[in-house]
Amino acid sequence: MSGIITITLNPAIDKSTTVPRLVPERKLQCSHPVFEPGGGGVNVARAIIQLGGNAQAIYLAGGHSGKFFDALLNAEGVPAVSVPIAENTRENLIVTDIANNAQYRLDMPGPAVDAYEWQHLLEVIRGIGQVDYIVASGSLAPGVPPDIFASFSAIAALKGARFVVDTSREALKQALREGAYLVKPNIRELAGFAGKDTLNTEEIVEVAQQIIRKNQCEVVVVSMGETGAMLITDSMAVKIPAPRVQRVSTVGAGDSMMAGIVYSLSAGRDILEAAQFGVACGTAATLNPGTALCKKEDAQRLFEEIRQTQSFTISR
């Protein structure tokens, strides 16, 4: 299994609870809260560990909540490097209204990060030895410049590692400017490169392959929510439908998809199988409540279903 590190610039403690019914101006009785370490890259590392792989999470954390975050990740047995910051790690709240089967996700703003703190993160990453995959996933914390993703790409190139990106807006543009192996935008994020609000199937392929032909990346996996994903390279475009399941929560589905892709690639699978397994992992995550990620047995079962029963739309 290849060496994988993940990078998270704006991690969060995810606190999940349920209420019988969400109503205003009343004291609501909540279920016992569940606390989990969250944030794009952290979740990717957690899911890879759950799938049986090896990954190290590198992230910014500070204050009392940062120490709690470290403890939560350590309890899961995830190898980690916590880069200290002065301000407190953020905390998010996920509330499920049982009566209406509705989930409310309250994302708090991240802590302000000083220049010397994010520069320290870069030095930590530069100091890591042999690595085959560098995964930068999630949003920017306030104070962190978008071109830090270009710096991640440059570090990956020096190490001979594949750089994998799951972010948005200017950070995604900066990553592509320097170059990446694989990016995982959703349709809206990809549409931004064409100056549009959305794209049809043919336009998705066209825009993605334009990015690839500019040598900005080799692979684009477009997340399409509950319908699955589209895998695009310079020579193919494959639509991978997601299996139909009874969805409980969509939190963590995107991170689980990314984990499945990188885990599969690191295990030697080709890009099509990796993308299929990624869709299986993303779908598996929706079977669980709160912010729980994919389970290995669910992911493997859904992967076999995708390979054996799903058809693919392929164009060039």
Side-chain angles (χ1 to χ4, degrees):
M1 189 69 66
S2 301
I4 303 166
I5 64 170
T6 71
I7 305 168
T8 311
L9 298 169
N10 198 17
I13 296 170
D14 290 327
K15 180 163 62 174
S16 302
T17 189
T18 64
V19 294
R21 183 184 295 273
L22 195 62
V23 294
E25 300 183 16
R26 286 182 57 185
K27 183 180 289 187
L28 306 177
Q29 297 300 316
C30 300
S31 64
H32 190 74
V34 175
F35 297 89
E36 293 177 296
V42 166
N43 282 339
V44 172
R46 293 172 63 214
I48 288 173
I49 297 295
Q50 291 184 30
L51 291 169
N54 296 298
Q56 182 180 49
I58 301 173
Y59 57 92
L60 298 168
H64 294 294
S65 55
K67 293 179 181 178
F68 184 35
F69 187 97
D70 295 342
L72 289 170
L73 204 56
N74 182 64
E76 293 189 12
V78 178
V81 177
S82 176
V83 178
I85 60 174
E87 294 198 6
N88 287 301
T89 296
R90 66 186 175 130
E91 301 179 56
N92 295 333
L93 180 63
I94 299 93
V95 180
T96 299
D97 180 339
I98 296 175
N100 297 303
N101 193 30
Q103 187 180 77
Y104 298 85
R105 301 165 60 177
L106 307 178
D107 281 3
M108 305 299 172
V113 177
D114 287 336
Y116 74 89
E117 293 171 335
W118 60 259
Q119 288 170 359
H120 182 196
L121 175 78
L122 289 174
E123 289 304 313
V124 168
I125 298 168
R126 291 189 183 101
I128 291 176
Q130 176 64 35
V131 61
D132 297 294
Y133 289 87
I134 296 178
V135 183
S137 180
S139 61
L140 292 168
V144 180
D147 65 3
I148 195 170
F149 277 79
S151 298
F152 296 153
S153 176
I155 293 171
L158 287 173
K159 293 180 177 294
R162 284 176 164 177
F163 182 45
V164 179
V165 181
D166 185 8
T167 189
S168 61
R169 301 184 180 90
E170 186 60 28
L172 178 58
K173 292 180 181 179
Q174 290 292 332
L176 288 172
R177 179 179 63 81
E178 189 68 26
Y181 168 68
L182 182 150
V183 296
K184 190 184 76 65
N186 59 34
I187 296 175
R188 178 178 50 80
E189 290 162 351
L190 186 66
F193 286 91
K196 298 182 178 181
D197 294 328
T198 189
L199 301 171
N200 60 36
T201 300
E202 292 74 19
E203 290 171 329
I204 289 172
V205 176
E206 180 181 353
V207 174
Q209 290 190 333
Q210 284 177 357
I211 293 171
I212 292 168
R213 284 193 291 267
K214 292 177 182 177
N215 295 319
Q216 293 180 310
C217 70
E218 296 181 39
V219 181
V220 179
V221 178
V222 183
S223 175
M224 304 173 72
E226 65 180 16
T227 63
M230 183 171 289
L231 166 67
I232 302 156
T233 70
D234 62 343
S235 61
M236 68 175 177
V238 182
K239 190 173 182 180
I240 308 172
R244 292 185 177 182
V245 297
Q246 186 65 43
R247 297 173 185 272
V248 178
S249 170
T250 59
V251 179
D255 297 329
S256 292
M257 178 189 286
M258 177 62 83
I261 293 171
V262 176
Y263 168 78
S264 294
L265 289 171
S266 69
R269 285 176 171 159
D270 63 37
I271 188 59
L272 177 56
E273 281 195 329
Q276 290 172 329
F277 191 68
V279 171
C281 290
T283 305
T286 69
L287 301 175
N288 304 311
T291 57
L293 301 170
C294 61
K295 294 179 181 178
K296 183 177 181 178
E297 57 271 24
D298 292 331
Q300 190 60 45
R301 172 176 54 82
L302 292 168
F303 175 58
E304 294 302 327
E305 182 177 337
I306 289 172
R307 288 206 305 172
Q308 294 176 13
T309 67
Q310 299 288 352
S311 60
F312 306 103
T313 301
I314 302 176
S315 63
R316 289 184 178 271

